[in-house]
């Protein structure tokens, strides 16, 4: 049977997924792997769906940085996206993709507040507000059209992302009294895969060469890592050097969110007030550079559970990545939803450190108080 034209329904149109999952799917397709193209669903009205369609789903990713001591500067034209839809304007088309048996995977990457479900969430034909509401609507449409199995792959940096999302969708289904058979199908006919994703991706800086006027152009680092839960019920997805399949994603997730992302959020607290604008400047700065290293190696890493492996070497790698001479990772972009990020990325390290060592971590204490 030939590969269906479209097999991935993706909620999220941001630069991260464009330089991560969509790029990997492009490379897998180029290598002859049996995976269909991606349909992108944009939840917010920023015009990105129009850009995708105007560019026939094509865009460029520039990969720049240091890998194995070698300078990397590569440009890839990604062609894995077939089209893009707006959730507000094209909701019926989104539901049609949910019904289509060719849709094997549902990918997502929403903001830190993307899992928030308002009490007034609706399922009466209009597009729901929250991502869990939208996903519930898509899964309900699929169930009512025959219930072909589907694999959900959330890429949000939320501890236990698949379990959290599954509980939210089931809870919303119960509140809407959608019926026990449907709820049972969501547990048995839908495979929910925990994930951990890691790749620093930024918007091109002013003046970056863009002769084709690509409105979706993004810059990313050579490093990429995707821990994907290994479940036999899941559709096979793709093989890629960046993907590691594992029975337990949580140690990878804790290491990444608390060390790399925690350090990013800490820099917003510490470096931005000093007028420092980028992660690289902060890592190289005479004051914040040593402070950052101490925070990561003396507080964030020691606060991790013992089952997290290679945490110190991971932190050392992160510091090297922060100093990437090609990427101007702006602190103001990291500062989006800052208080939510502090709660998710720094507070758990503080609490774990206190519990583990019976004393307060001085650098984290100064940030949080």
């Amino acid at each position: 049977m030939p590969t269906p034209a479209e097999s991935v329904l993706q909620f999220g149109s941001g630069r991260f997924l464009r330089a991560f999952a969509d790029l990997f799917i492009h490379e897998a397709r180029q290598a002859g792997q049996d995976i269909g193209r991606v349909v992108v669903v944009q939840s917010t009205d920023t015009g990105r769906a129009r850009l995708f369609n105007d560019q026939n789903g094509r865009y460029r990713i520039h990969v720049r940085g240091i890998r194995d001591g070698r300078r990397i500067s590569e440009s890839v034209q990604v062609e894995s996206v077939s089209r893009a839809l707006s959730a507000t304007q094209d909701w019926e088309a989104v539901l049609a993709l949910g019904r289509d048996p060719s849709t094997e995977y549902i990918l997502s990457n929403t903001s830190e507040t993307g899992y928030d479900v308002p009490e007034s969430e609706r399922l009466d034909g209009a597009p729901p507000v929250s991502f869990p509401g939208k996903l519930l609507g898509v899964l309900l449409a699929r169930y009512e059209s025959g219930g072909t199995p589907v694999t959900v792959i959330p890429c949000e940096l939320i501890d236990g992302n698949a379990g959290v999302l599954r509980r939210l969708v089931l809870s919303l289904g119960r509140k809407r009294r959608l019926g026990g058979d449907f709820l049972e199908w969501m547990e048995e006919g839908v495979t929910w895969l925990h994930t951990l994703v890691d790749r620093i991706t930024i918007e091109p800086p002013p003046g970056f060469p863009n002769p084709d006027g690509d409105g979706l152009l993004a810059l990313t680092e050579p490093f990429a890592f995707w821990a994907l839960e290994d479940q036999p019920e899941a559709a096979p997805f793709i093989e890629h050097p960046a993907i590691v399949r594992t029975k337990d994603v949580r140690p990878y997730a804790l290491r990444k969110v608390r060390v790399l992302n925690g350090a990013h959020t800490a820099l917003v607290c510490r470096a931005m007030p000093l007028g420092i604008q980028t992660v690289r400047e902060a890592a190289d700065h005479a004051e914040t550079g040593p402070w950052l290293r101490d925070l990561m190696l003396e507080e964030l890493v020691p606060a991790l559970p013992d089952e997290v492996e290679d945490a110190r070497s991971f932190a050392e790698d992160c510091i090297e990545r922060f100093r990437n001479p090609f990427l101007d990772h702006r602190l103001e972009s990291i500062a989006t939803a800052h208080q939510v990020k502090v709660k998710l990325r720094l507070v758990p390290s503080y609490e774990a450190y206190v519990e583990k060592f019976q004393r307060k971590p001085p650098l984290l204490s100064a940030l949080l108080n």
Side-chain angles (χ1 to χ4, degrees):
M1 178 182 295
T3 300
E6 297 170 337
S7 65
V8 182
L9 177 58
Q10 175 177 298
F11 286 88
S13 59
R15 62 180 179 267
F16 173 75
L17 282 182
R18 300 200 305 270
F20 195 77
D22 298 339
L23 173 57
F24 300 164
I25 291 169
H26 166 80
E27 292 171 336
R29 287 172 56 82
Q30 292 291 103
Q33 294 185 39
D34 190 27
I35 181 77
R37 297 178 75 190
V38 179
V39 179
V40 170
V41 179
Q42 183 186 6
S43 294
T44 56
D45 292 319
T46 63
R48 204 173 288 139
R50 176 180 52 78
L51 282 173
F52 269 109
N53 294 326
D54 287 348
Q55 297 180 189
N56 295 316
R58 299 184 179 92
Y59 60 89
R60 285 204 169 270
I61 296 295
H62 285 266
V63 183
R64 311 182 82 195
I66 307 296
R67 181 171 59 197
D68 299 329
R70 185 168 62 93
R71 294 166 74 94
I72 303 295
S73 183
E74 302 172 347
S75 177
V76 182
Q77 178 169 283
V78 180
E79 299 181 353
S80 57
V81 176
S82 61
R83 56 189 168 122
L85 301 171
S86 164
T88 55
Q89 299 176 14
D90 305 309
W91 185 236
E92 283 303 317
V94 175
L95 295 179
L97 283 164
R99 298 183 188 103
D100 190 340
S102 296
T103 300
E104 297 180 84
Y105 313 93
I106 300 176
L107 281 172
S108 69
N109 184 244
T110 64
S111 68
E112 278 74 8
T113 59
Y115 282 17
D116 293 346
V117 180
E119 286 295 324
S120 59
E121 187 63 285
R122 54 193 296 176
L123 292 170
D124 59 358
V129 174
S130 68
F131 169 59
K134 292 182 177 71
L135 180 56
L136 177 61
V138 166
L139 294 177
L140 179 61
R142 192 174 189 85
Y143 172 76
E144 291 176 340
S145 66
T148 305
V150 68
T151 298
V152 175
I153 309 177
C155 297
E156 292 80 17
L157 291 174
I158 294 174
D159 189 18
N161 49 20
V164 173
L165 181 59
R166 175 178 164 275
R167 287 191 295 273
L168 286 170
V169 174
L170 284 169
S171 176
L172 188 56
R174 293 188 189 100
K175 287 181 180 179
R176 297 298 175 264
R177 303 186 181 187
L178 294 180
D181 290 344
F182 168 61
L183 299 179
E184 183 178 346
W185 174 82
M186 278 207 293
E187 298 200 65
E188 297 181 359
V190 180
T191 302
W192 308 77
L193 297 186
H194 289 91
T195 68
L196 180 279
V197 298
D198 189 0
R199 189 171 221 185
I200 297 170
T201 305
I202 66 169
E203 296 286 352
F208 189 86
N210 187 8
D212 297 326
D214 186 346
L216 299 169
L217 178 70
L219 275 61
T220 195
E221 62 178 336
F223 179 92
F225 181 79
W226 192 352
L228 190 59
E229 186 179 9
D230 189 13
Q231 287 193 32
E233 301 85 2
F237 201 48
I238 61 171
E239 298 294 329
H240 191 276
I243 296 177
V244 172
R245 285 183 165 80
T246 176
K247 295 291 185 183
D248 188 4
V249 167
R250 191 167 186 268
Y252 295 105
L254 283 173
R255 187 179 69 176
K256 195 262 181 175
V257 172
R258 292 195 187 179
V259 177
L260 186 144
N261 297 108
H264 276 164
T265 297
L267 286 176
V268 171
C269 302
R270 183 73 174 83
M272 281 189 73
L274 299 177
I276 297 172
Q277 298 183 9
T278 68
V279 172
R280 184 181 67 251
E281 292 172 24
D284 289 338
H285 192 272
E287 181 176 340
T288 57
W291 172 88
L292 175 65
R293 185 178 185 84
D294 288 344
L295 175 72
M296 295 176 73
L297 297 180
E298 303 302 325
E299 296 189 8
L300 299 182
V301 167
L304 287 168
D306 294 338
E307 64 265 25
V308 177
E309 298 179 354
D310 301 322
R312 188 176 182 88
S313 61
F314 176 78
E316 295 278 9
D317 288 342
C318 288
I319 294 170
E320 183 177 60
R321 293 166 63 192
F322 291 169
R323 302 180 71 182
N324 185 338
F326 297 108
L327 295 188
D328 291 326
H329 194 183
R330 300 189 65 81
L331 293 173
E332 65 181 3
S333 67
I334 298 171
T336 303
H338 177 64
Q339 293 305 319
V340 176
K341 290 177 179 176
V342 168
K343 182 178 179 181
L344 292 175
R345 300 176 175 182
L346 293 178
V347 172
S349 288
Y350 173 88
E351 294 174 344
Y353 189 100
V354 171
E355 181 178 356
K356 194 171 185 178
F357 299 106
Q358 300 300 303
R359 64 178 187 274
K360 295 181 179 180
L363 299 180
L364 279 170
S365 296
L367 288 178
L368 298 175
N369 297 327

